[in-house]
Amino acid sequence: MSEFPKLVNLRKNSHLLMGLTFFICLMSLLAFAVVKLNAWLEDEQQAPVQDIVVSGELIFIDIKYIEMLIKRTQPGSFFELDVNQTHQTVEAMPWVYRASVRKRWPSGLEIFVVEQQPSAVWNGDMLLNQYGDAFDAQISSDELNSKITLPNLYGPGGSEQTVLQGYRNMQSLLETSNLYIVEMFLSERFAWNVELNNGIKLNLGRTEFIDRLQRFVDLLPLISQQDRQVDYVDLRYDTGLAVGWKTFVKAA
């Protein structure tokens, strides 16, 4: 009878040893699986970003350049790719006004881009978007002009929105006469000067420039009856205007 408890304890120890061995094996397998899974997730060849889809109404932005930029700045796997960092990278491009970025399982990236809408050339080397914000075009004037015709606006720093709104107000008034603003200058003293597509230069002064421009439009038919070519029109008067005529030197 004394050997029976020993046999029971032996069996209990045997079961405990088997359970412990099984637990150790299970934990080892889990650890191995975690290591392998982590290595697989980090391996660009196992889970690369294969499809980058860029959408939006794009005229000046090169989709291929966006794809190259993302692959260069985010070289890791699909799982490692930082969406927030990619979003910042895309929105930092000068022609991107807004962008949204999201992953698409299992290996895709979707990017929607709202492109800057250029409204004018600003001070000869920048562009103004539709909201009057200046940005660097980073393209040649020839490439820009091949895709869109823009007025040239000039003004002091910080006056971008004022000048753009002034341009829009004046242009809407001039369109009834089939005239278009080619260049507009706002001086440091906030005096307005305009050059039209027919070569006429307008000096509108600092105040009541819309009323003065309307006076020019009303008197333009009368001015056009003259057998001379207009050089400039000075409208800085309470009533009336002064006309400067172009002079031509006859060839000898």
Side-chain angles (χ1 to χ4, degrees):
M1 296 295 295
S2 61
E3 294 183 0
F4 181 73
K6 293 182 178 179
L7 182 60
V8 172
N9 290 334
L10 182 60
R11 289 181 178 178
K12 286 183 178 180
N13 292 337
S14 177
H15 290 161
L16 181 61
L17 181 61
M18 290 178 61
L20 182 61
T21 303
F22 175 78
F23 177 76
I24 293 174
C25 292
L26 179 61
M27 294 303 297
S28 299
L29 287 173
L30 286 175
F32 179 78
V34 169
V35 171
K36 294 297 291 184
L37 178 61
N38 186 62
W40 181 79
L41 293 179
E42 293 180 354
D43 189 349
E44 183 182 359
Q45 301 302 320
Q46 294 294 334
V49 178
Q50 295 180 343
D51 301 315
I52 300 177
V53 179
V54 181
S55 60
E57 297 182 8
L58 307 181
I59 299 175
F60 296 94
I61 296 176
D62 186 356
I63 293 178
K64 295 295 183 183
Y65 178 77
I66 294 181
E67 295 175 355
M68 179 193 68
L69 184 64
I70 292 174
K71 290 178 180 179
R72 187 175 72 237
T73 57
Q74 295 284 341
S77 70
F78 172 82
F79 300 94
E80 285 185 309
L81 186 140
D82 189 330
V83 172
N84 292 329
Q85 181 61 48
T86 302
H87 178 262
Q88 294 176 13
T89 299
V90 174
E91 281 204 342
M93 296 176 63
W95 278 98
V96 175
Y97 179 69
R98 288 288 184 270
S100 63
V101 180
R102 68 185 184 94
K103 292 180 179 180
R104 185 186 62 190
W105 181 265
S107 60
L109 189 67
E110 293 183 348
I111 303 172
F112 180 79
V113 175
V114 178
E115 191 175 64
Q116 298 272 22
Q117 296 181 24
S119 297
V121 178
W122 177 246
N123 286 338
D125 58 355
M126 301 285 285
L127 292 181
L128 295 182
N129 66 12
Q130 66 271 38
Y131 304 108
D133 300 323
F135 67 98
D136 188 357
Q138 295 188 350
I139 61 174
S140 65
S141 57
D142 291 339
E143 183 181 356
L144 179 66
N145 293 332
S146 67
K147 296 180 179 180
I148 190 172
T149 301
L150 298 174
N152 290 282
L153 307 183
Y154 299 85
S159 66
E160 293 87 347
Q161 295 182 3
T162 299
V163 176
L164 182 61
Q165 188 58 51
Y167 162 78
R168 287 171 173 167
N169 293 339
M170 295 185 201
Q171 185 56 58
S172 64
L173 192 153
L174 290 167
E175 285 177 355
T176 58
S177 302
N178 199 31
L179 294 173
Y180 299 92
I181 296 174
V182 176
E183 290 188 346
M184 173 181 286
F185 299 83
L186 180 64
S187 71
E188 294 286 346
R189 300 185 60 188
F190 291 91
W192 297 89
N193 289 271
V194 173
E195 182 175 345
L196 304 178
N197 58 320
N198 58 5
I200 297 178
K201 303 178 185 66
L202 306 179
N203 190 338
L204 299 170
R206 297 168 56 187
T207 61
E208 301 178 348
F209 55 90
I210 294 297
D211 293 338
R212 292 172 177 177
L213 184 62
Q214 182 64 62
R215 187 192 313 161
F216 166 76
V217 172
D218 294 339
L219 294 176
L220 182 59
L222 179 62
I223 298 174
S224 300
Q225 292 177 3
Q226 307 299 313
D227 191 22
R228 287 181 290 178
Q229 191 171 353
V230 179
D231 183 21
Y232 68 87
V233 178
D234 191 342
L235 294 140
R236 295 174 297 171
Y237 301 91
D238 294 335
T239 59
L241 48 80
V243 179
W245 306 96
K246 289 185 177 180
T247 57
F248 297 94
V249 179
K250 293 184 179 180

